[in-house]
Amino acid sequence: MAALAIAGCSRKKDKFLNRNFHALNTKYNILYNGNLALEAGKKELADTYQDNYWEILPIERIRPKDEIQLPGAHTNNNFEKAEEKATKAIQKHSMNINGREKNSQIDEAFVLLGEARYYEQRMIPAMEAFNYVLKKYPKSSKIVEAKIWREKVNIRLDNSELALENLKKIFKQNTITDQEHADARAMMAQAYLNLKEYDNAVAALSMAADLTKNNEEKGRYLFILGQLYTFLGKTEKANITFDKVIDLNRKSPRVYMINAYMQKARNFDWKYGNKGALIDLLLKLADNRENRPYLDLIYHEIGNFYMHTGSEELAKSYYNASLAQRGVDNYLTALNYSELAEMAFNKVAYKRAGMYYDSTLMNLKENTKMYRAVQKKRDNLEDVVYFEDMAQQNDSILKVVSMNTIQRTTYYT
């Protein structure tokens, strides 16, 4: 047994025993654990990533560019572990004999290496790993996957046109699976979004949503598709698509379903729509215990409903209820304060409106369109609030002056 183990450890002999020893150790030991780490890292990323549902979502959940750390820095221990496992597989089990790799698992190790680097946004090293597979393993079962990942890197490097050109070539291959087809179409959609070619993005994303077998992906793709239809002014198509997201129910993350309901509420036809059915739905969503994490969003939409129907006091109570949830969505917080500011302004309560505008600004990113608009309103209130305070002070002085000595003593007492 010891002799067999020693013989099996040699990476320089092109024999059946040697090849199988290293292939099995690579697949069922090192790569198995590496892929587990990668999946754990992707789950952690999905659980902690904060999507901005007020804008068209990106196809993938991945850190924004402004959060990228310095080269060599690791932000997720699972991705670091996945990279270590992939590197170990290559260093300890590669059987490169006479320029040819004899370990059938090494191409998978390079794909794992590239994916781990990709999720850490180390794009140039990721590109090197995928290019190595394409160059050294042209007949690999992972070849299509490696090509798609390479173009994902190109998209992250702002080479969307090149990525589109290369992705289109993939469809000419006979070996492409439905899931690979879906992955390629989804990344084409992202490239088109980057280039602001929204109609092309819709076509690509529709195919991706139809082809993918992953319900989490399907829910996300359909939600983005609904957002695109809304952006393009195709409200009816948007609502039909959001209904598909809602129909997935527990098959897809609940956050997509809730935001699909909210998007439909914002698309509501206030002239011909059934207002009673809308408020009943929103109140039912608010009463559902499963929706507690989303009450800030639901209460805000209920507030919007009452604003549209002229019940300002009810609207105010729901905007405050939304704020009381203390959610992590700063933009939603800003919208609540902005609505309260407008109500106070319309009631000539300028000082209170100014405070609400201040709270709005605190929750907005500077130099955005909404920030500048609110800042302008706040600046215009400065003189109004100053003269209002002066008038109140003068009124108080005149009131005291008009009193006799006994009234004045009683007042101050």
Side-chain angles (χ1 to χ4, degrees), residues 26-64:
T26 304
K27 181 175 182 178
Y28 293 110
N29 183 8
I30 303 176
L31 287 187
Y32 175 78
N33 290 313
N35 281 308
L36 285 180
L38 182 72
E39 290 304 313
K42 288 163 67 175
K43 184 179 185 306
E44 181 182 335
L45 181 63
D47 291 343
T48 58
Y49 184 85
Q50 292 295 326
D51 272 311
N52 181 1
Y53 288 90
W54 303 98
E55 297 178 355
I56 295 174
L57 297 184
I59 299 299
E60 291 184 296
R61 289 174 164 181
I62 193 167
R63 291 191 317 274

mmCIF file of all heavy atoms in Angstrom, residues 26-64:
data_model
loop_
_atom_site.group_PDB
_atom_site.id
_atom_site.type_symbol
_atom_site.label_atom_id
_atom_site.label_comp_id
_atom_site.label_asym_id
_atom_site.label_seq_id
_atom_site.Cartn_x
_atom_site.Cartn_y
_atom_site.Cartn_z
ATOM 1 N N THR A 26 -7.407 15.919 -6.517
ATOM 2 C CA THR A 26 -7.754 17.289 -6.904
ATOM 3 C C THR A 26 -9.259 17.503 -6.819
ATOM 4 O O THR A 26 -9.725 18.487 -6.243
ATOM 5 C CB THR A 26 -7.284 17.575 -8.349
ATOM 6 O OG1 THR A 26 -5.887 17.316 -8.448
ATOM 7 C CG2 THR A 26 -7.554 19.030 -8.720
ATOM 8 N N LYS A 27 -10.029 16.573 -7.377
ATOM 9 C CA LYS A 27 -11.480 16.746 -7.472
ATOM 10 C C LYS A 27 -12.188 16.599 -6.129
ATOM 11 O O LYS A 27 -12.989 17.467 -5.739
ATOM 12 C CB LYS A 27 -12.051 15.726 -8.471
ATOM 13 C CG LYS A 27 -13.563 15.838 -8.666
ATOM 14 C CD LYS A 27 -14.046 14.884 -9.751
ATOM 15 C CE LYS A 27 -15.549 15.044 -9.981
ATOM 16 N NZ LYS A 27 -16.035 14.157 -11.077
ATOM 17 N N TYR A 28 -11.906 15.504 -5.422
ATOM 18 C CA TYR A 28 -12.704 15.166 -4.237
ATOM 19 C C TYR A 28 -12.131 15.710 -2.929
ATOM 20 O O TYR A 28 -12.773 15.600 -1.890
ATOM 21 C CB TYR A 28 -12.869 13.643 -4.136
ATOM 22 C CG TYR A 28 -13.715 13.091 -5.249
ATOM 23 C CD1 TYR A 28 -13.157 12.323 -6.255
ATOM 24 C CD2 TYR A 28 -15.081 13.366 -5.315
ATOM 25 C CE1 TYR A 28 -13.940 11.822 -7.295
ATOM 26 C CE2 TYR A 28 -15.872 12.880 -6.341
ATOM 27 C CZ TYR A 28 -15.289 12.108 -7.330
ATOM 28 O OH TYR A 28 -16.063 11.623 -8.357
ATOM 29 N N ASN A 29 -10.984 16.296 -2.989
ATOM 30 C CA ASN A 29 -10.400 16.853 -1.774
ATOM 31 C C ASN A 29 -10.240 18.367 -1.907
ATOM 32 O O ASN A 29 -11.001 19.150 -1.349
ATOM 33 C CB ASN A 29 -9.053 16.177 -1.481
ATOM 34 C CG ASN A 29 -8.425 16.672 -0.185
ATOM 35 O OD1 ASN A 29 -9.042 17.405 0.588
ATOM 36 N ND2 ASN A 29 -7.195 16.279 0.051
ATOM 37 N N ILE A 30 -9.282 18.770 -2.708
ATOM 38 C CA ILE A 30 -8.936 20.192 -2.758
ATOM 39 C C ILE A 30 -10.011 21.021 -3.446
ATOM 40 O O ILE A 30 -10.497 22.013 -2.890
ATOM 41 C CB ILE A 30 -7.572 20.387 -3.465
ATOM 42 C CG1 ILE A 30 -6.490 19.584 -2.737
ATOM 43 C CG2 ILE A 30 -7.194 21.871 -3.484
ATOM 44 C CD1 ILE A 30 -5.144 19.616 -3.397
ATOM 45 N N LEU A 31 -10.424 20.632 -4.650
ATOM 46 C CA LEU A 31 -11.422 21.424 -5.371
ATOM 47 C C LEU A 31 -12.791 21.356 -4.702
ATOM 48 O O LEU A 31 -13.539 22.343 -4.719
ATOM 49 C CB LEU A 31 -11.537 20.961 -6.825
ATOM 50 C CG LEU A 31 -10.370 21.323 -7.754
ATOM 51 C CD1 LEU A 31 -10.704 20.952 -9.188
ATOM 52 C CD2 LEU A 31 -10.012 22.791 -7.655
ATOM 53 N N TYR A 32 -13.124 20.228 -4.122
ATOM 54 C CA TYR A 32 -14.395 20.109 -3.403
ATOM 55 C C TYR A 32 -14.472 21.162 -2.300
ATOM 56 O O TYR A 32 -15.458 21.900 -2.195
ATOM 57 C CB TYR A 32 -14.540 18.708 -2.820
ATOM 58 C CG TYR A 32 -15.772 18.536 -1.958
ATOM 59 C CD1 TYR A 32 -17.023 18.358 -2.525
ATOM 60 C CD2 TYR A 32 -15.676 18.561 -0.564
ATOM 61 C CE1 TYR A 32 -18.165 18.216 -1.737
ATOM 62 C CE2 TYR A 32 -16.800 18.420 0.238
ATOM 63 C CZ TYR A 32 -18.040 18.251 -0.350
ATOM 64 O OH TYR A 32 -19.160 18.121 0.444
ATOM 65 N N ASN A 33 -13.425 21.237 -1.485
ATOM 66 C CA ASN A 33 -13.399 22.221 -0.393
ATOM 67 C C ASN A 33 -13.296 23.644 -0.927
ATOM 68 O O ASN A 33 -13.863 24.578 -0.353
ATOM 69 C CB ASN A 33 -12.239 21.919 0.556
ATOM 70 C CG ASN A 33 -12.466 20.657 1.366
ATOM 71 O OD1 ASN A 33 -13.546 20.464 1.919
ATOM 72 N ND2 ASN A 33 -11.474 19.781 1.427
ATOM 73 N N GLY A 34 -12.578 23.808 -2.027
ATOM 74 C CA GLY A 34 -12.467 25.136 -2.632
ATOM 75 C C GLY A 34 -13.801 25.639 -3.149
ATOM 76 O O GLY A 34 -14.154 26.812 -2.959
ATOM 77 N N ASN A 35 -14.557 24.752 -3.781
ATOM 78 C CA ASN A 35 -15.888 25.142 -4.286
ATOM 79 C C ASN A 35 -16.873 25.407 -3.157
ATOM 80 O O ASN A 35 -17.733 26.281 -3.267
ATOM 81 C CB ASN A 35 -16.425 24.068 -5.231
ATOM 82 C CG ASN A 35 -15.810 24.156 -6.619
ATOM 83 O OD1 ASN A 35 -15.806 25.209 -7.245
ATOM 84 N ND2 ASN A 35 -15.268 23.039 -7.102
ATOM 85 N N LEU A 36 -16.758 24.640 -2.062
ATOM 86 C CA LEU A 36 -17.591 24.922 -0.887
ATOM 87 C C LEU A 36 -17.297 26.327 -0.356
ATOM 88 O O LEU A 36 -18.216 27.070 0.004
ATOM 89 C CB LEU A 36 -17.337 23.880 0.206
ATOM 90 C CG LEU A 36 -17.936 22.482 0.009
ATOM 91 C CD1 LEU A 36 -17.576 21.592 1.208
ATOM 92 C CD2 LEU A 36 -19.457 22.557 -0.137
ATOM 93 N N ALA A 37 -16.024 26.674 -0.294
ATOM 94 C CA ALA A 37 -15.632 28.010 0.182
ATOM 95 C C ALA A 37 -16.155 29.093 -0.760
ATOM 96 O O ALA A 37 -16.633 30.146 -0.311
ATOM 97 C CB ALA A 37 -14.112 28.105 0.308
ATOM 98 N N LEU A 38 -16.070 28.831 -2.067
ATOM 99 C CA LEU A 38 -16.561 29.806 -3.043
ATOM 100 C C LEU A 38 -18.056 30.037 -2.875
ATOM 101 O O LEU A 38 -18.525 31.182 -2.868
ATOM 102 C CB LEU A 38 -16.268 29.326 -4.463
ATOM 103 C CG LEU A 38 -16.689 30.284 -5.581
ATOM 104 C CD1 LEU A 38 -15.766 31.497 -5.628
ATOM 105 C CD2 LEU A 38 -16.689 29.577 -6.930
ATOM 106 N N GLU A 39 -18.822 28.950 -2.732
ATOM 107 C CA GLU A 39 -20.277 29.080 -2.556
ATOM 108 C C GLU A 39 -20.612 29.799 -1.255
ATOM 109 O O GLU A 39 -21.546 30.609 -1.205
ATOM 110 C CB GLU A 39 -20.935 27.702 -2.590
ATOM 111 C CG GLU A 39 -20.918 27.038 -3.963
ATOM 112 C CD GLU A 39 -21.549 27.902 -5.035
ATOM 113 O OE1 GLU A 39 -22.641 28.446 -4.797
ATOM 114 O OE2 GLU A 39 -20.946 28.025 -6.119
ATOM 115 N N ALA A 40 -19.848 29.526 -0.198
ATOM 116 C CA ALA A 40 -20.072 30.212 1.075
ATOM 117 C C ALA A 40 -19.787 31.707 0.923
ATOM 118 O O ALA A 40 -20.502 32.556 1.470
ATOM 119 C CB ALA A 40 -19.185 29.612 2.158
ATOM 120 N N GLY A 41 -18.735 32.023 0.169
ATOM 121 C CA GLY A 41 -18.409 33.429 -0.069
ATOM 122 C C GLY A 41 -19.489 34.132 -0.875
ATOM 123 O O GLY A 41 -19.847 35.280 -0.574
ATOM 124 N N LYS A 42 -20.032 33.444 -1.884
ATOM 125 C CA LYS A 42 -21.103 34.030 -2.696
ATOM 126 C C LYS A 42 -22.368 34.244 -1.872
ATOM 127 O O LYS A 42 -23.053 35.258 -2.018
ATOM 128 C CB LYS A 42 -21.391 33.125 -3.897
ATOM 129 C CG LYS A 42 -20.290 33.150 -4.951
ATOM 130 C CD LYS A 42 -20.371 31.983 -5.909
ATOM 131 C CE LYS A 42 -21.582 32.028 -6.790
ATOM 132 N NZ LYS A 42 -21.566 30.928 -7.797
ATOM 133 N N LYS A 43 -22.646 33.302 -0.965
ATOM 134 C CA LYS A 43 -23.821 33.455 -0.096
ATOM 135 C C LYS A 43 -23.630 34.637 0.857
ATOM 136 O O LYS A 43 -24.550 35.427 1.072
ATOM 137 C CB LYS A 43 -24.065 32.175 0.701
ATOM 138 C CG LYS A 43 -25.337 32.221 1.553
ATOM 139 C CD LYS A 43 -25.575 30.941 2.304
ATOM 140 C CE LYS A 43 -26.916 30.980 3.044
ATOM 141 N NZ LYS A 43 -27.064 32.156 3.926
ATOM 142 N N GLU A 44 -22.439 34.746 1.421
ATOM 143 C CA GLU A 44 -22.158 35.874 2.318
ATOM 144 C C GLU A 44 -22.288 37.198 1.562
ATOM 145 O O GLU A 44 -22.831 38.180 2.085
ATOM 146 C CB GLU A 44 -20.757 35.739 2.898
ATOM 147 C CG GLU A 44 -20.375 36.851 3.868
ATOM 148 C CD GLU A 44 -18.956 36.723 4.391
ATOM 149 O OE1 GLU A 44 -18.428 35.594 4.417
ATOM 150 O OE2 GLU A 44 -18.365 37.763 4.760
ATOM 151 N N LEU A 45 -21.797 37.214 0.331
ATOM 152 C CA LEU A 45 -21.896 38.417 -0.485
ATOM 153 C C LEU A 45 -23.350 38.772 -0.754
ATOM 154 O O LEU A 45 -23.763 39.935 -0.631
ATOM 155 C CB LEU A 45 -21.151 38.209 -1.808
ATOM 156 C CG LEU A 45 -21.132 39.380 -2.794
ATOM 157 C CD1 LEU A 45 -20.397 40.572 -2.193
ATOM 158 C CD2 LEU A 45 -20.454 38.959 -4.093
ATOM 159 N N ALA A 46 -24.164 37.767 -1.089
ATOM 160 C CA ALA A 46 -25.583 37.994 -1.372
ATOM 161 C C ALA A 46 -26.322 38.478 -0.127
ATOM 162 O O ALA A 46 -27.205 39.336 -0.206
ATOM 163 C CB ALA A 46 -26.230 36.720 -1.910
ATOM 164 N N ASP A 47 -25.950 37.915 1.039
ATOM 165 C CA ASP A 47 -26.632 38.271 2.283
ATOM 166 C C ASP A 47 -26.293 39.672 2.758
ATOM 167 O O ASP A 47 -27.092 40.324 3.437
ATOM 168 C CB ASP A 47 -26.292 37.263 3.387
ATOM 169 C CG ASP A 47 -26.903 35.884 3.132
ATOM 170 O OD1 ASP A 47 -27.836 35.803 2.307
ATOM 171 O OD2 ASP A 47 -26.446 34.912 3.750
ATOM 172 N N THR A 48 -25.091 40.145 2.450
ATOM 173 C CA THR A 48 -24.638 41.447 2.955
ATOM 174 C C THR A 48 -24.718 42.570 1.926
ATOM 175 O O THR A 48 -24.651 43.736 2.288
ATOM 176 C CB THR A 48 -23.181 41.351 3.463
ATOM 177 O OG1 THR A 48 -22.338 40.892 2.387
ATOM 178 C CG2 THR A 48 -23.072 40.364 4.619
ATOM 179 N N TYR A 49 -24.869 42.210 0.662
ATOM 180 C CA TYR A 49 -24.907 43.222 -0.394
ATOM 181 C C TYR A 49 -26.207 44.023 -0.311
ATOM 182 O O TYR A 49 -27.287 43.469 -0.160
ATOM 183 C CB TYR A 49 -24.808 42.535 -1.758
ATOM 184 C CG TYR A 49 -24.737 43.488 -2.932
ATOM 185 C CD1 TYR A 49 -23.528 44.035 -3.339
ATOM 186 C CD2 TYR A 49 -25.885 43.847 -3.638
ATOM 187 C CE1 TYR A 49 -23.459 44.896 -4.417
ATOM 188 C CE2 TYR A 49 -25.826 44.706 -4.716
ATOM 189 C CZ TYR A 49 -24.605 45.229 -5.100
ATOM 190 O OH TYR A 49 -24.549 46.096 -6.165
ATOM 191 N N GLN A 50 -26.086 45.339 -0.397
ATOM 192 C CA GLN A 50 -27.263 46.205 -0.334
ATOM 193 C C GLN A 50 -27.604 46.714 -1.727
ATOM 194 O O GLN A 50 -26.920 47.586 -2.266
ATOM 195 C CB GLN A 50 -26.997 47.394 0.610
ATOM 196 C CG GLN A 50 -26.862 47.015 2.071
ATOM 197 C CD GLN A 50 -28.144 46.446 2.652
ATOM 198 O OE1 GLN A 50 -29.241 46.842 2.284
ATOM 199 N NE2 GLN A 50 -28.007 45.500 3.571
ATOM 200 N N ASP A 51 -28.664 46.151 -2.307
ATOM 201 C CA ASP A 51 -29.125 46.621 -3.620
ATOM 202 C C ASP A 51 -29.846 47.949 -3.472
ATOM 203 O O ASP A 51 -30.511 48.202 -2.463
ATOM 204 C CB ASP A 51 -30.092 45.610 -4.232
ATOM 205 C CG ASP A 51 -29.376 44.541 -5.035
ATOM 206 O OD1 ASP A 51 -28.532 44.904 -5.862
ATOM 207 O OD2 ASP A 51 -29.669 43.348 -4.837
ATOM 208 N N ASN A 52 -29.733 48.790 -4.483
ATOM 209 C CA ASN A 52 -30.483 50.044 -4.529
ATOM 210 C C ASN A 52 -31.655 49.852 -5.488
ATOM 211 O O ASN A 52 -31.509 49.959 -6.704
ATOM 212 C CB ASN A 52 -29.591 51.191 -5.007
ATOM 213 C CG ASN A 52 -30.340 52.515 -5.039
ATOM 214 O OD1 ASN A 52 -31.522 52.607 -4.689
ATOM 215 N ND2 ASN A 52 -29.661 53.570 -5.461
ATOM 216 N N TYR A 53 -32.824 49.556 -4.909
ATOM 217 C CA TYR A 53 -33.991 49.240 -5.733
ATOM 218 C C TYR A 53 -34.631 50.487 -6.348
ATOM 219 O O TYR A 53 -35.603 50.372 -7.095
ATOM 220 C CB TYR A 53 -35.018 48.470 -4.904
ATOM 221 C CG TYR A 53 -34.572 47.062 -4.610
ATOM 222 C CD1 TYR A 53 -33.828 46.763 -3.475
ATOM 223 C CD2 TYR A 53 -34.866 46.030 -5.487
ATOM 224 C CE1 TYR A 53 -33.397 45.470 -3.216
ATOM 225 C CE2 TYR A 53 -34.439 44.735 -5.242
ATOM 226 C CZ TYR A 53 -33.706 44.469 -4.105
ATOM 227 O OH TYR A 53 -33.277 43.189 -3.864
ATOM 228 N N TRP A 54 -34.092 51.665 -6.049
ATOM 229 C CA TRP A 54 -34.596 52.899 -6.649
ATOM 230 C C TRP A 54 -33.954 53.137 -8.012
ATOM 231 O O TRP A 54 -34.332 54.052 -8.735
ATOM 232 C CB TRP A 54 -34.331 54.086 -5.732
ATOM 233 C CG TRP A 54 -34.947 53.891 -4.375
ATOM 234 C CD1 TRP A 54 -34.326 53.450 -3.238
ATOM 235 C CD2 TRP A 54 -36.321 54.084 -4.021
ATOM 236 N NE1 TRP A 54 -35.226 53.371 -2.212
ATOM 237 C CE2 TRP A 54 -36.458 53.745 -2.657
ATOM 238 C CE3 TRP A 54 -37.441 54.507 -4.731
ATOM 239 C CZ2 TRP A 54 -37.672 53.832 -1.990
ATOM 240 C CZ3 TRP A 54 -38.653 54.590 -4.067
ATOM 241 C CH2 TRP A 54 -38.763 54.256 -2.708
ATOM 242 N N GLU A 55 -32.951 52.325 -8.340
ATOM 243 C CA GLU A 55 -32.287 52.402 -9.638
ATOM 244 C C GLU A 55 -32.340 51.023 -10.288
ATOM 245 O O GLU A 55 -32.620 50.025 -9.623
ATOM 246 C CB GLU A 55 -30.830 52.850 -9.472
ATOM 247 C CG GLU A 55 -30.674 54.243 -8.887
ATOM 248 C CD GLU A 55 -29.218 54.626 -8.700
ATOM 249 O OE1 GLU A 55 -28.332 53.761 -8.944
ATOM 250 O OE2 GLU A 55 -28.963 55.771 -8.287
ATOM 251 N N ILE A 56 -32.058 50.969 -11.586
ATOM 252 C CA ILE A 56 -32.019 49.678 -12.272
ATOM 253 C C ILE A 56 -30.887 48.853 -11.677
ATOM 254 O O ILE A 56 -29.736 49.294 -11.643
ATOM 255 C CB ILE A 56 -31.835 49.866 -13.793
ATOM 256 C CG1 ILE A 56 -33.056 50.583 -14.389
ATOM 257 C CG2 ILE A 56 -31.632 48.513 -14.478
ATOM 258 C CD1 ILE A 56 -32.917 50.941 -15.848
ATOM 259 N N LEU A 57 -31.212 47.660 -11.197
ATOM 260 C CA LEU A 57 -30.223 46.824 -10.519
ATOM 261 C C LEU A 57 -29.164 46.324 -11.496
ATOM 262 O O LEU A 57 -29.434 46.130 -12.682
ATOM 263 C CB LEU A 57 -30.903 45.614 -9.879
ATOM 264 C CG LEU A 57 -31.932 45.864 -8.779
ATOM 265 C CD1 LEU A 57 -32.412 44.517 -8.224
ATOM 266 C CD2 LEU A 57 -31.356 46.712 -7.665
ATOM 267 N N PRO A 58 -27.954 46.079 -11.006
ATOM 268 C CA PRO A 58 -26.961 45.378 -11.838
ATOM 269 C C PRO A 58 -27.331 43.911 -11.941
ATOM 270 O O PRO A 58 -28.059 43.385 -11.089
ATOM 271 C CB PRO A 58 -25.654 45.585 -11.056
ATOM 272 C CG PRO A 58 -26.094 45.726 -9.627
ATOM 273 C CD PRO A 58 -27.424 46.438 -9.680
ATOM 274 N N ILE A 59 -26.833 43.236 -12.951
ATOM 275 C CA ILE A 59 -27.145 41.826 -13.142
ATOM 276 C C ILE A 59 -26.600 40.990 -11.987
ATOM 277 O O ILE A 59 -27.250 40.073 -11.512
ATOM 278 C CB ILE A 59 -26.564 41.309 -14.471
ATOM 279 C CG1 ILE A 59 -27.173 42.079 -15.658
ATOM 280 C CG2 ILE A 59 -26.805 39.807 -14.627
ATOM 281 C CD1 ILE A 59 -28.678 41.947 -15.786
ATOM 282 N N GLU A 60 -25.417 41.322 -11.536
ATOM 283 C CA GLU A 60 -24.783 40.578 -10.447
ATOM 284 C C GLU A 60 -24.712 41.415 -9.174
ATOM 285 O O GLU A 60 -24.626 42.640 -9.237
ATOM 286 C CB GLU A 60 -23.343 40.207 -10.816
ATOM 287 C CG GLU A 60 -23.184 39.193 -11.901
ATOM 288 C CD GLU A 60 -21.722 38.857 -12.088
ATOM 289 O OE1 GLU A 60 -20.955 39.763 -12.470
ATOM 290 O OE2 GLU A 60 -21.340 37.704 -11.845
ATOM 291 N N ARG A 61 -24.718 40.717 -8.040
ATOM 292 C CA ARG A 61 -24.419 41.373 -6.769
ATOM 293 C C ARG A 61 -22.918 41.317 -6.550
ATOM 294 O O ARG A 61 -22.349 40.246 -6.335
ATOM 295 C CB ARG A 61 -25.111 40.638 -5.614
ATOM 296 C CG ARG A 61 -26.616 40.800 -5.594
ATOM 297 C CD ARG A 61 -27.198 39.934 -4.513
ATOM 298 N NE ARG A 61 -28.570 40.322 -4.207
ATOM 299 C CZ ARG A 61 -29.304 39.732 -3.280
ATOM 300 N NH1 ARG A 61 -28.801 38.745 -2.569
ATOM 301 N NH2 ARG A 61 -30.541 40.131 -3.052
ATOM 302 N N ILE A 62 -22.274 42.460 -6.626
ATOM 303 C CA ILE A 62 -20.833 42.527 -6.407
ATOM 304 C C ILE A 62 -20.511 43.938 -5.952
ATOM 305 O O ILE A 62 -21.229 44.885 -6.296
ATOM 306 C CB ILE A 62 -20.054 42.150 -7.689
ATOM 307 C CG1 ILE A 62 -18.569 41.920 -7.380
ATOM 308 C CG2 ILE A 62 -20.251 43.143 -8.798
ATOM 309 C CD1 ILE A 62 -17.810 41.243 -8.517
ATOM 310 N N ARG A 63 -19.475 44.090 -5.171
ATOM 311 C CA ARG A 63 -19.158 45.394 -4.595
ATOM 312 C C ARG A 63 -19.004 46.458 -5.670
ATOM 313 O O ARG A 63 -18.420 46.203 -6.724
ATOM 314 C CB ARG A 63 -17.838 45.342 -3.807
ATOM 315 C CG ARG A 63 -17.873 44.538 -2.546
ATOM 316 C CD ARG A 63 -16.621 44.771 -1.722
ATOM 317 N NE ARG A 63 -15.417 44.792 -2.518
ATOM 318 C CZ ARG A 63 -14.715 43.715 -2.851
ATOM 319 N NH1 ARG A 63 -15.138 42.529 -2.473
ATOM 320 N NH2 ARG A 63 -13.616 43.814 -3.559
ATOM 321 N N PRO A 64 -19.494 47.683 -5.400
ATOM 322 C CA PRO A 64 -19.261 48.795 -6.334
ATOM 323 C C PRO A 64 -17.772 49.097 -6.447
ATOM 324 O O PRO A 64 -16.994 48.753 -5.557
ATOM 325 C CB PRO A 64 -20.004 49.975 -5.695
ATOM 326 C CG PRO A 64 -20.958 49.371 -4.727
ATOM 327 C CD PRO A 64 -20.335 48.092 -4.269
#
